[in-house]
Amino acid sequence: MSGPDKRFMALALSLGRRGMGRTWPNPAVGCVITQGNRIVGRGWTAPGGRPHGETQALKQAGAAACGATAYVTLEPCAHTGQTPPCVDALIGAGIARVVVAIEDPDSRVAGQGLARLRGAGIAVETGVLADQARADHLGFLCRISEGRPMVTLKLATSLDGRIATASGESRWITGPAARRAVHAMRLTHDAVLIGAGTARTDDPSLTVRDFGPVPQPVRIVASAHLNIPQDSKLVQSAAQVPLWLLHAPGAATDAWVDTPARLLSVNTDGSGHLDPAAMLRALAAQGLTRVFCEGGGALAACLLKAGLVDRVALFTAGKVIGAEGLPAIAHLGLDRLAAAPEFQIHDHRTLGADALTLLHKR
């Protein structure tokens, strides 16, 4: 691959990231159109998933798209949904060459987009910055290939892995810079997930704040018995920001009929807790691709034991709480180190007085 190909694909990927958390169930695709080394069109998937990135870039390029090269972070769609296929738009605009980062595993596309481009006489190249594209599109790829959204587990702990003192005090373990970074991460995910215990104890809002008027992620609470106070911030704001409640099939739902909250019944495991794989399948069925899990310890352990955590965002403060504090992750039942969930450090940086470590599943 040439230097210009990598440079323009890197730009397309950066454009696509602008749509993260806003395009579900569609992928957040970026597109750059060039004539030689001159950019004539740029686009990314619009909020709600339409128009697609290619459509946006072609509109900006206009007549300059004829004979141009299009850089697309995911194989252009070849099926008719609520909009015509992007391959038809590229062909109709007279694009001469298309550079694609990765193929789309969706059975409605799955190589058909590339085949149609080649059939129209367009030169096609694939695999440019493929690893970066797979990382960016992980949520969409997980939903298509595994029937579940990508899960990022956020942990904000003391040096010794505690999230609260023995009395339950937890505000604030980390400082303002770390908390702002959490809001930025919420913004790039479709939904924020917590357990019922966290909802009762912390009474959080789970909204994105201090970033101006932005689309809010869906707030989700996993509560087998729907034992969440109806005067909580989550419920009281459900008319303005979506609130979904995952519950067991036998939960009493009558009290929630007149609330704006959306109820989703999920099967339980042998111990009566919500089955983690069933929870994620239910969320994928609703179109979610990227879920940001913010606790608590029991939910984190549940997802880790099931092997359903793809990424970890670990915020660490320079405080020591001690063994009597509440651990960030509940009992995992491990007796062998080889059985421990394993992640690889992807990035590490400081945020004020705190540290952020980003890890990816091995």
Side-chain angles (χ1 to χ4, degrees):
M1 80 185 70
S2 70
D5 281 352
K6 290 195 291 185
R7 185 171 74 252
F8 290 128
M9 185 61 75
L11 175 58
L13 287 165
S14 70
L15 292 172
R17 292 179 196 121
R18 298 184 184 187
M20 283 183 176
R22 309 180 189 193
T23 66
W24 61 276
N26 286 358
V29 175
C31 179
V32 172
I33 298 174
T34 66
Q35 283 281 7
N37 286 322
R38 183 170 62 93
I39 296 173
V40 295
R42 304 188 311 163
W44 58 93
T45 309
R50 297 174 185 84
H52 292 181
E54 299 95 319
T55 304
Q56 303 268 59
L58 286 169
K59 181 179 179 181
Q60 187 179 94
C66 186
T69 296
Y71 295 86
V72 191
T73 62
L74 183 70
E75 178 182 1
C77 61
H79 61 285
T80 300
Q82 295 186 27
T83 57
C86 287
V87 290
D88 289 353
L90 292 166
I91 294 168
I95 291 288
R97 178 173 178 253
V98 175
V99 181
V100 174
I102 57 173
E103 294 186 18
D104 186 341
D106 189 323
S107 60
R108 297 171 298 177
V109 187
Q112 297 177 63
L114 302 179
R116 285 176 59 178
L117 291 170
R118 290 187 175 111
I122 296 174
V124 175
E125 184 172 347
T126 62
V128 176
L129 300 188
D131 289 345
Q132 293 181 34
R134 275 189 286 270
D136 284 359
H137 291 301
L138 182 60
F140 174 75
L141 298 176
C142 280
R143 182 172 179 266
I144 296 298
S145 302
E146 301 180 34
R148 67 171 181 88
M150 178 199 84
V151 175
T152 301
L153 174 63
K154 184 223 88 177
L155 301 171
T157 78
S158 62
L159 284 175
D160 52 343
R162 266 40 189 179
I163 58 174
T165 64
S167 66
E169 183 183 357
S170 62
R171 295 185 179 178
W172 296 98
I173 288 179
T174 55
R179 296 198 295 273
R180 182 174 172 81
V182 169
H183 285 270
M185 289 181 179
R186 288 177 184 172
L187 187 60
T188 63
H189 287 74
D190 308 341
V192 180
L193 170 67
I194 62 170
T198 300
R200 291 191 297 268
T201 303
D202 295 347
D203 191 22
S205 298
L206 301 182
T207 53
V208 176
R209 300 184 290 278
D210 300 326
F211 282 85
V214 295
Q216 293 290 340
V218 176
R219 287 97 47 86
I220 304 170
V221 182
S223 178
H225 306 293
L226 290 174
N227 50 348
I228 305 165
Q230 293 206 3
D231 61 353
S232 66
K233 294 176 183 175
L234 288 168
V235 179
Q236 292 300 307
S237 61
Q240 292 76 44
V241 183
L243 173 65
W244 297 359
L245 305 178
L246 303 176
H247 64 86
T253 60
D254 290 350
W256 295 90
V257 171
D258 294 327
T259 72
R262 184 175 187 179
L263 304 185
L264 297 175
S265 179
V266 173
N267 289 334
T268 57
D269 58 22
S271 61
H273 297 105
L274 296 181
D275 179 79
M279 286 196 301
L280 295 185
R281 285 195 300 270
L283 297 181
Q286 300 302 314
L288 296 183
T289 64
R290 297 170 59 86
V291 171
F292 192 57
C293 179
E294 296 200 39
L299 180 57
C302 176
L303 292 169
L304 285 166
K305 283 193 291 185
L308 296 172
V309 175
D310 301 287
R311 295 174 180 174
V312 176
L314 173 61
F315 295 86
T316 309
K319 298 181 176 73
V320 177
I321 293 177
E324 66 273 26
L326 183 67
I329 299 170
H331 185 65
L332 287 177
L334 296 176
D335 56 7
R336 295 181 303 110
L337 188 59
E342 193 170 357
F343 296 84
Q344 184 172 6
I345 294 177
H346 177 71
D347 190 19
H348 181 82
R349 56 182 179 266
T350 56
L351 294 169
D354 307 313
L356 168 61
T357 306
L358 299 173
L359 305 100
H360 291 182
K361 185 178 181 180
R362 284 189 182 273

